[in-house]
C-alpha cells in the first residue's frame, strides 16, 4: 500500500476519533486541524516503528511483542499505566476467545457423534 | 469521557509500522499490533482533547491549527 492511500486511511480514522471528541466536548475541529493531527500521527508512526524494531533487536528477537510497545509508552506515567492495563485487557480477551473457540470445537466434535441439538448462537459483544 | 468507538484497524497499523522497518525479517505479534492500535488511538485522542482545552481556554468556538500547535510540543514529549 503506497503512502497516499495509507495517509488517507490514517486521515479517515483520525477524522472519526476527532468527531467523537468533538461531540463529547461540544467543540468543532477545523478541517485543517484534523488534517494536521493526521499528518503528525503518520509521522509519529515512523518514530514508533523504528523504536519498536530496535527494542526487539536489542532483546535479540525479530518479532516485536507487547513488552516493546510498553517500552514505547514509558515517557508518561499515566500513559504507561493505561497501556499496561490495555495490554492485560487484550490478553484476557484473547484468552477468553480461545477458550470459547476450543469449547465450540469440542461441542461440535461431540455433536458429530450424537444427533445435533439446536445450535447455540454465539453472541458477540 | 466514555469509551471511544472508533479506532485503528490492525491491518492499517501493521502496514504503517512495516513502512519504516529497516529489516525485512522484523515482524509484529498480534497482541503488539492490538496494543499499538490503542497507543495510536490515545495519541490522536490526546491531541484532540488537549487542542479542545486550549481552544476553550482561549474562548474560541472552534479548534484551529494554532491551538494544536500550542499543545503539540508537550504531546510529543509525553509520547
Amino acid at each position: 500500500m503506497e503512502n497516499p492511500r495509507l495517509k488517507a486511511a490514517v486521515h479517515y480514522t483520525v477524522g472519526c476519533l476527532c468527531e467523537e471528541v468533538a461531540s463529547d466536548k461540544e467543540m468543532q475541529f477545523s478541517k485543517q486541524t484534523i488534517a494536521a493531527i493526521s499528518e503528525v500521527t503518520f509521522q509519529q508512526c515512523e518514530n514508533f516503528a523504528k523504536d519498536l524494531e530496535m527494542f526487539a533487536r536489542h532483546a535479540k528477537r525479530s518479532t516485536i511483542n507487547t513488552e516493546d510497545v510498553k517500552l514505547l509508552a514509558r515517557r508518561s506515567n499515566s500513559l504507561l499505566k493505561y497501556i499496561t492495563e490495555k495490554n492485560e485487557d487484550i490478553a484476557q480477551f484473547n484468552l477468553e476467545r480461545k477458550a470459547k473457540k476450543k469449547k465450540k470445537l469440542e461441542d461440535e466434535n461431540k455433536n458429530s457423534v450424537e444427533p445435533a441439538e439446536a445450535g447455540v448462537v454465539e453472541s458477540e459483544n | 469521557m466514555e469509551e471511544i468507538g472508533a479506532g485503528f484497524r490492525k491491518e492499517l497499523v501493521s502496514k504503517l509500522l512495516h513502512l519504516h522497518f529497516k529489516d525485512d525479517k522484523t515482524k509484529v505479534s498480534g497482541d503488539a499490533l492490538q496494543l499499538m492500535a490503542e497507543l495510536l488511538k490515545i495519541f490522536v485522542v490526546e491531541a484532540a482533547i488537549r487542542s479542545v482545552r486550549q481552544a476553550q481556554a482561549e474562548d474560541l468556538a472552534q479548534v484551529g491549527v494554532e491551538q494544536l500547535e500550542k499543545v503539540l510540543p508537550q504531546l510529543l514529549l509525553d509520547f
Side-chain angles (χ1 to χ4, degrees):
Chain A
M1 213 185 200
E2 337 76 60
N3 274 16
R5 279 181 68 189
L6 270 179
K7 279 194 177 182
V10 172
H11 187 94
Y12 174 75
T13 307
V14 170
C16 292
L17 288 168
C18 286
E19 210 178 287
E20 291 194 29
V21 173
S23 74
D24 185 79
K25 304 287 174 198
E26 292 176 351
M27 172 80 88
Q28 284 304 314
F29 288 89
S30 74
K31 285 207 181 96
Q32 296 90 333
T33 307
I34 297 185
I37 295 178
S38 176
E39 183 65 35
V40 173
T41 304
F42 188 81
Q43 287 173 11
Q44 193 66 1
C45 283
E46 180 168 352
N47 292 342
F48 287 159
K50 288 181 174 169
D51 281 357
L52 287 171
E53 189 175 37
M54 276 204 278
F55 293 159
R57 165 179 256 142
H58 185 68
K60 301 197 169 47
R61 282 183 273 106
S62 56
T63 302
I64 293 164
N65 64 22
T66 54
E67 293 306 303
D68 302 321
V69 179
K70 279 197 248 172
L71 249 187
L72 255 192
R74 69 195 178 285
R75 289 206 171 92
S76 150
N77 281 340
S78 48
L79 178 64
L80 180 58
K81 182 160 177 265
Y82 180 86
I83 285 297
T84 304
E85 284 171 6
K86 274 294 161 185
N87 186 29
E88 286 161 17
D89 289 348
I90 290 172
Q92 181 66 22
F93 180 78
N94 286 340
L95 217 67
E96 284 170 8
R97 242 180 41 179
K98 270 195 197 158
K100 262 198 221 166
K101 267 196 196 164
K102 192 175 174 209
K103 181 161 193 306
K104 191 166 175 225
L105 269 167
E106 286 172 358
D107 288 348
E108 282 172 4
N109 283 338
K110 259 192 259 165
N111 287 339
S112 68
V113 177
E114 304 160 21
E117 298 277 332
V120 178
V121 176
E122 199 174 354
S123 67
E124 292 239 329
N125 281 334
Chain B
M1 194 177 160
E2 290 303 311
E3 274 299 316
I4 301 170
F8 288 89
R9 284 177 3 257
K10 269 168 86 167
E11 196 195 313
L12 176 59
V13 178
S14 178
K15 293 200 169 108
L16 285 169
L17 293 177
H18 274 87
L19 198 62
H20 302 292
F21 289 155
K22 298 212 172 90
D23 192 348
D24 283 337
K25 291 190 231 99
T26 303
K27 297 196 245 325
V28 192
S29 81
D31 280 6
L33 273 181
Q34 272 184 275
L35 203 55
M36 271 312 293
E38 285 297 324
L39 187 68
L40 284 172
K41 182 163 92 177
I42 282 299
F43 182 80
V44 173
V45 171
E46 275 299 305
I49 289 185
R50 292 183 192 192
S51 306
V52 166
R53 280 202 215 114
Q54 183 63 36
Q56 284 168 340
E58 292 181 40
D59 243 327
L60 295 166
Q62 208 194 38
V63 185
V65 185
E66 301 78 24
Q67 284 71 55
L68 174 65
E69 283 173 2
K70 287 182 184 156
V71 304
L72 211 48
Q74 188 57 51
L75 178 73
L76 294 177
L77 282 171
D78 286 338
F79 278 81

